[in-house]
Every structure is written in structure tokens, then in C-alpha cells.
Amino acid sequence: MPFDYAPAPESRSIVDIESNYGLFIGGSFIEPTSGGFFKTINPATEEVLSEVAEAGQADVDAAVAAARRAYDKTWSKMSGKDRAKYIFRIARLIQERSRELAVLETLDNGKPIRESRDVDLPLVAAHFFYHAGWADKLEFAGYGPDPKSLGVAAQVIPWNFPLLMLAWKVAPALACGNTVVLKPAETTPLTALAFADICQQAGLPPGVVNIITGAGETGRMLVEHPDVDKVAFTGSTEVGKAIQRAVAGTKKKLTLELGGKAANIVFDDAPIDQAIEGIVNGIYFNQGHVCCAGSRLLLQESVADEALASLKRRLTTLRLGDPLDKNTDIGAINSSMQLSKIEELTASGEAEGAERWSPTCPIPDKGFWFPPTVFTNVTQAHRIAREEIFGPVLSVLTFRTPEEAVAKANNTPFGLSAGIWTEKGSRILWMANQMRAGIVWANTFNRFDPTSPFGGFKESGFGREGGVQGLGAYLNVEDPS
Ligand code: NDP
């Protein structure tokens, strides 16, 4: 029987959202030469939050030129120790403004405040602190006695962790001595623009960080710009492939962090209650808008019925609704487009013969919502077992032996993450070795840390973000991954 909770909404008065925002180029906010603006909305209410500039070719050129000037004149000449001071200052400002940034993220993205406050923001600050620490120690990172920066980094990020993806990209780039032009996703530009304000507040030299808003076309112009030295992209595999084609034959260094279809594998000796929490965290965290989500649950046959019953019982206690309410577990789907994609794929699951289940779950009248959903009777051929749904939808398969679990887990074009639940340490090590996945969690899931490299195999992309390995992506050295 679920508990009743009184509403506990976080106040939104801590955030001042401007009615419109220009482009952050060369240290100031400027009007787009295209003259165009687009709306960004709160996906939980469909309320328009602000209008944001759409960067055209001339704006992209101006942003890259500003980044180049800042690189040549200031940032590449500055000592690592001085760069570190700026990055530390940014990290501290993020901590000071974390409540404001968490509310803004939740408003623009739809994720529960519990997550933006307790997961996204602490990790954002941690990434800047961690990389500030590296800025004056790069000669000890294992890339030779005097590793050099690359130049101007073009960075394109998605909407699922807007500020965290910015941190993953901007912090190592700056620490390694590069300047940045970053394009946030069309549906979630506001925290990147707040970050621009933080750069001003930190006194970061003009042009070291430039933020240009726009749609996919702006992203395309940015990554194809002839004067960028490095392209870093997180997003769909389809766009990642297009970027790889565009960059082929140029000298641009490229990292791609793309989709996933991770297996979360539960053996019969696993502590089932903990595993259930890990399964829930693995796929319903951030509405399943997580590239490394544990979207395929592989249950050992002998415990499948028991685990499924526990899982369903647990799902009836999840609370879907106002993302600003501190008791909310499942927030809004980020956009109507993403909702349509989830609906289309779940419909295909039913049409192909899988069995669909969701807890009784009242859906708000306005906004974009999808209840936590479980599919059983899933075969490996079903689309819901092969394609990234990027929503709160779990596909359950079963296995009998560890070998079968390995074969099923690796039977995917992706290779980003995997989870293993078992009491046996030797089995964890054996399984982890068999997984074709960049990240393998054991008896936990969706744990992130700036010291730990993150990245994929196969169609999940290449290059690593975070850790000492992630520095290599922003230095003029062989990529270690
Ligand atoms: P995209 O890959 O289209 O978007 C990611 C970023 O790339 C956004 O900033 C986007 O801009 C930009 N972009 C789009 N087209 C281009 C281009 N040709 N060149 C350069 N940049 C471009 O993902 P979507 O938002 O469309 O999501 C589609 C699907 O991708 C999801 O359903 C999900 O399955 C998957 N996805 C995976 C993510 C991951 O982390 N692995 C993250 C996001 C999505 P804009 O937003 O303005 O279009």
C-alpha cells in the first residue's frame, strides 16, 4: 500500500528566467545575426519559459573566431596553475548556485528535483573540481612530459543531463588548455545559459567558453566548421554517424558518446531486494532518458517470477508527477517528440507479442508523461529488445546459464554499459570480462564519478570522458581508449 505524501514543492522563486536570451560569444550575450528566436518550454506544464536565440552560420563563425582568439591570445599561453584557479572558481560558483541551477534544470528538462538536486548538480561541481585539479598536473597524467592542448573544441550535447553533459565536456577541455564553443540541445538550453553567466561571474577571459543555442542545424554548422580542432558529441547514434562522416578526412579529433541498450543481469544468488532497487534506478531514473540505462533486464529463470513480482510491487510505490515536488520519482518526458517515440516503440512491443504492464498511475492533464512500464515475454528479435527507447520502459528476458546471459547481453549493436547482480566475486569478474561494454557495474547501477572514465564500444561510440583517460581526448596525443 503506497504512502500518501503531502505536497512538498521546491520554490521556483530562486530562479530568475529572462524573457529572452542572446548568444554567449566572446564573453557577452549578443543578438543572433539571423534574428531568430525559439521557445523553450517546461515539459511538465507546456508553459513557455523563455525565448532563446537561434544561431545561424554567421553566429557560428563568430563563436569559433572568438574561441580561436581566446585560445591564441590568452588560454593556451596561461599556466596550468592559473587555468586551475578559474576552473576552481567556476566549481565553487556552481556549488553556491546549485539550488537555483537544480530548479532551472528541473523546469527546463522535466526531471525530478530530487535528481537534479542530489545527482546532477553535485556531479557537475565534482567534474569541475576534479578537472581543476588536473590543470597544473598534466605532465603527470601519462601523456608525456609536456602534453599540448588541441585548440578550439566544438561540443554538442543532448537534453537528458543538460548541465552535467556540459560539465563532462567543458571541464576537461578547459583543464587541458582548449577553448570551447558549446551547443546545448534545443529543448534544454537554459542551464547552459546560466553557466555562461557563471563564466562571467568567474571572470573567465572572454571567448574561452562560448555558448550558442539553436537546433540540429546549428550543431551541424558547428561540428563542420573548418576552424575547430576537436569535436565532442553526445546524442543519438544516427547523428553521431553523420558527424563521423562529416569529420572524416579532416584533422579534427573526435569523441562520440552515443546510445545504449544495456543489459542488467540478475543471477539467482543476488540479493533480490537490492537488485530490485538497482533495476528501478537502472531504468526509471531520469524517466529512462539515460544512454547507459539498464533497459534490458536479464533474469535467471529460477528467480524470474519472484523478482518480477517484487519489481511490480516496488513500481506501484513510485510517484509520477510535478517534477518540482521533492517526493516525485518520475518526472515529465522531455518533449512531445520523445513521448511519440516512446509510444511508437511500446506499441511495437505489444504488436510483436510482448506483454505490457504498468502500475496504476494517474497522469497529469498537461505536459508529457509516460508511466513506468515493464514488458515480459520479450524475445531478442523484438524491437523493444534491440532499439534504444530512451524512456521508462523495461524489457525483461530470462536466461539459464552465465554463458547464455553473456550471449544475450552482448547481442546488441550497442556497448555502453552493463550491470551484474550476484553474490559471487569470481562470477562478477568473469562476467565483466565477457561484457562488450565500456562500463560494467556490479551490484549497483547508474553510478557516476568524475575519476571514472565513461564511454562505449561498437555503436555506442568511442573515446572516454572522465578520469585520466578522458584527458587524452583534449590533448594532442594518441587517444588511449
Ligand atoms: P540528437 O542526437 O538529435 O541530439 C543531440 C544533440 O545533437 C542536440 O544538441 C541536437 O540539437 C544536436 N544535433 C542534431 N542534429 C545534429 C547534426 N546533424 N549535427 C550536429 N548536431 C546535431 O538526439 P535527439 O534529441 O533527437 O534524440 C533522439 C534519440 O537519440 C533519443 O530518442 C534517444 O534514443 C537518443 N539520444 C541518446 C542520447 C545519449 O546520451 N546516448 C542523448 C539524447 C538522445 P537539437 O537538440 O537542437 O536537435
Side-chain angles (χ1 to χ4, degrees):
M1 176 73 181
F3 289 112
D4 264 344
Y5 291 85
E10 170 63 278
S11 164
R12 60 173 288 179
S13 65
I14 192 161
V15 181
D16 287 322
I17 303 178
E18 313 273 337
S19 57
N20 70 18
Y21 288 90
L23 304 164
F24 185 66
I25 297 179
S28 6
F29 282 94
I30 57 172
E31 295 288 302
T33 52
S34 67
F37 283 81
F38 61 92
K39 294 182 174 56
T40 183
I41 65 166
N42 177 347
T45 60
E46 298 175 58
E47 161 208 9
V48 174
L49 295 170
S50 183
E51 300 219 342
V52 176
E54 174 150 21
Q57 187 65 57
D59 304 306
V60 174
D61 292 347
V64 173
R68 175 63 59 195
R69 264 194 312 278
Y71 179 75
D72 289 342
K73 295 205 171 125
T74 321
W75 203 244
S76 66
K77 300 221 163 74
M78 199 181 276
S79 68
K81 199 169 146 199
D82 285 338
R83 286 201 310 273
K85 287 184 197 163
Y86 286 106
I87 306 169
F88 271 123
R89 204 178 290 164
I90 289 171
R92 284 195 298 268
L93 285 166
I94 287 168
Q95 284 188 318
E96 273 172 35
R97 293 177 60 174
S98 67
R99 190 166 162 215
E100 169 200 346
L101 292 167
V103 171
L104 187 59
E105 195 76 300
T106 285
L107 286 170
D108 206 18
N109 169 279
K111 65 174 68 198
I113 186 74
R114 209 162 49 81
E115 293 179 7
S116 49
R117 182 194 61 192
D118 298 345
V119 181
D120 295 46
L121 260 297
L123 279 171
V124 170
H127 270 269
F128 280 97
F129 277 119
Y130 173 74
H131 286 97
W134 269 121
D136 62 348
K137 302 176 195 69
L138 293 174
E139 66 268 39
F140 305 113
Y143 297 104
D146 186 20
K148 298 277 186 269
S149 53
L150 292 165
V152 175
Q155 307 183 321
V156 178
I157 55 171
W159 42 262
N160 52 343
F161 293 92
L163 197 56
L164 185 57
M165 290 302 102
L166 175 150
W168 282 24
K169 302 250 176 311
V170 173
L174 298 191
C176 292
N178 306 278
T179 56
V180 163
V181 182
L182 177 130
K183 191 201 87 71
E186 186 181 356
T187 57
T188 53
L190 294 184
T191 45
L193 294 163
F195 179 78
D197 186 52
I198 286 175
C199 292
Q200 284 181 327
Q201 213 182 336
L204 191 71
V208 172
V209 168
N210 304 274
I211 310 278
I212 53 169
T213 44
E217 184 57 10
T218 304
R220 188 193 60 73
M221 289 185 247
L222 175 58
V223 300
E224 291 182 8
H225 197 287
D227 200 30
V228 306
D229 303 291
K230 155 84 189 172
V231 174
F233 172 78
T234 298
S236 61
T237 297
E238 186 194 348
V239 172
K241 285 180 180 173
I243 291 177
Q244 190 169 15
R245 278 194 292 273
V247 164
T250 72
K251 287 194 181 139
K252 293 174 194 172
K253 197 163 174 171
L254 177 65
T255 38
L256 295 176
E257 202 269 272
L258 310 174
K261 192 74 191 175
N264 204 359
I265 307 165
V266 180
F267 285 93
D268 58 6
D269 64 341
I272 290 293
D273 289 346
Q274 280 107 307
I276 298 300
E277 290 310 306
I279 295 163
V280 170
N281 179 41
I283 183 64
Y284 303 109
F285 169 63
N286 201 27
Q287 296 71 247
H289 300 330
V290 184
C291 47
C292 52
S295 50
R296 286 183 300 148
L297 174 62
L298 267 58
L299 291 175
Q300 193 153 20
E301 210 173 82
S302 49
V303 288
D305 290 344
E306 180 196 343
L308 265 174
S310 294
L311 176 65
K312 288 181 177 175
R313 212 168 30 243
R314 177 70 178 89
L315 292 183
T316 60
T317 67
L318 292 185
R319 299 170 59 83
L320 176 148
D322 179 7
L324 275 180
D325 192 311
K326 292 165 199 156
N327 293 321
T328 292
D329 299 301
I330 311 264
I333 299 301
N334 180 250
S335 64
S336 64
M337 232 173 77
Q338 187 59 28
L339 181 58
S340 308
K341 181 179 166 187
I342 298 168
E343 285 168 345
E344 194 262 315
L345 271 163
T346 45
S348 85
E350 277 181 298
E352 290 183 329
E355 200 171 303
R356 177 182 188 151
W357 181 89
S358 287
T360 315
C361 179
I363 299 284
D365 299 335
K366 282 210 140 180
F368 317 124
W369 306 92
F370 200 86
T373 299
V374 178
F375 275 103
T376 48
N377 284 341
V378 179
T379 75
Q380 295 186 81
H382 288 159
R383 281 182 70 201
I384 54 168
R386 290 184 288 117
E387 295 180 31
E388 187 177 46
I389 302 175
F390 226 60
V393 182
L394 180 66
S395 301
V396 185
L397 298 107
T398 58
F399 67 93
R400 290 183 181 168
T401 63
E403 290 75 14
E404 187 185 347
V406 168
K408 284 186 169 164
N410 287 339
N411 184 15
T412 165
F414 298 109
L416 193 52
S417 65
I420 302 162
W421 296 83
T422 171
E423 218 167 46
K424 287 194 186 68
S426 56
R427 183 181 279 162
I428 290 172
L429 294 174
W430 183 82
M431 286 291 295
N433 260 332
Q434 313 297 312
M435 292 293 109
R436 292 293 296 155
I439 305 108
V440 181
W441 286 291
N443 294 329
T444 188
F445 208 92
N446 271 344
R447 303 278 291 199
F448 308 98
D449 191 288
T451 64
S452 177
F454 186 98
F457 284 96
K458 303 193 282 185
E459 293 208 358
S460 292
F462 49 80
R464 293 293 177 265
E465 294 187 303
V468 71
Q469 294 83 353
L471 298 171
Y474 287 95
L475 293 169
N476 194 2
V477 292
E478 278 290 298
D479 200 321
S481 62

